[in-house]
Amino acid sequence: MSLLRIYDEKGRLLKELTDPEEIAKELEKLGVLFERWQANRPLSKDATDEEVIKAYEDEIKRLIERYGFKSYDVVSLTPDHPKKKELREKFIKEHTHSDFEVRYFVEGDGVFYLHPDDKVYVLHCTAGDLISVPPNTKHWFDMGENPSFRCIRLFTTPEGWKAEFTGSGIEERFPKYEEIVR
Ligand SMILES: [Fe+2]
């Protein structure tokens, strides 16, 4: 189930939403795209990346036409990844980049923290959720101690992906993956 929690910058909870339509409406105000997708064919757990792309080709095509994405791929992370700790620690720090951050969760989950204004929007993405973080929006991501997800990513430029860390330390004031996902 998708979940959006809105906090002030001190980490005080202001609002909580679970209805995908209400979540989409709230995030739209920030220029953040949130959608629920459905595969156009059944997908097994061991589907290849090509099969995953095929299953969502209409949705991918729609986003390419709308936003001009140049490429896409499928990325997976499993709890046995040898660098899971380093990966978690990198993306859990507040940063920006000049490209969109577009993720569609084919399987598994993760928590996005968006900091576009004086509030922090904490979104737990689960299978079927698409999120697009606009360029240059401050954000961070927590995959948890035992990351498990398979995502489709879309890119406009290969260079746009370099993270610029803000060094604000704001992430310390917010609940981590394990506290959000219960
Ligand atoms: Fe990012």
Side-chain angles (χ1 to χ4, degrees), residues 7-156:
Y7 295 83
D8 68 13
E9 286 174 319
K10 292 204 169 80
R12 284 184 294 230
L13 182 64
L14 304 173
K15 197 173 177 180
E16 182 172 299
L17 300 171
T18 54
D19 177 65
E21 271 180 42
E22 282 179 37
I23 292 175
K25 254 188 228 157
E26 192 72 44
L27 293 176
E28 197 184 353
K29 296 182 208 159
L30 312 170
V32 172
L33 182 66
F34 176 78
E35 297 182 337
R36 296 274 306 156
W37 287 6
Q38 260 174 359
N40 63 16
R41 66 193 73 188
L43 268 183
S44 73
K45 282 265 173 207
D46 37 45
T48 64
D49 289 354
E50 289 72 27
E51 285 167 340
V52 168
I53 295 291
K54 267 269 173 221
Y56 294 100
E57 62 187 353
D58 300 338
E59 306 286 21
I60 292 171
K61 203 169 153 231
R62 183 169 53 81
L63 286 197
I64 288 175
E65 278 164 13
R66 183 164 162 193
Y67 296 104
F69 293 112
K70 297 274 188 296
S71 60
Y72 48 84
D73 66 6
V74 178
V75 66
S76 303
L77 209 57
T78 50
D80 58 0
H81 194 287
K83 291 223 163 96
K84 64 179 181 182
K85 198 158 184 267
E86 287 99 306
L87 286 167
R88 182 188 194 189
E89 278 167 16
K90 181 175 177 194
F91 295 111
I92 208 169
K93 302 230 160 51
E94 189 182 60
H95 64 277
T96 63
H97 25 78
S98 61
D99 201 358
F100 286 85
E101 181 158 331
V102 192
R103 295 285 179 278
Y104 171 71
F105 284 80
V106 180
E107 285 166 26
D109 69 336
V111 180
F112 278 90
Y113 302 75
L114 313 174
H115 184 205
D117 49 31
D118 61 353
K119 296 189 189 71
V120 174
Y121 300 77
V122 180
L123 180 68
H124 178 215
C125 286
T126 56
D129 288 347
L130 171 114
I131 181 177
S132 171
V133 182
N136 306 311
T137 300
K138 287 184 275 186
H139 67 281
W140 63 98
F141 176 71
D142 190 2
M143 57 182 76
E145 205 176 315
N146 292 300
S148 176
F149 57 80
R150 190 171 202 192
C151 284
I152 299 174
R153 308 187 291 182
L154 294 109
F155 307 94
T156 51

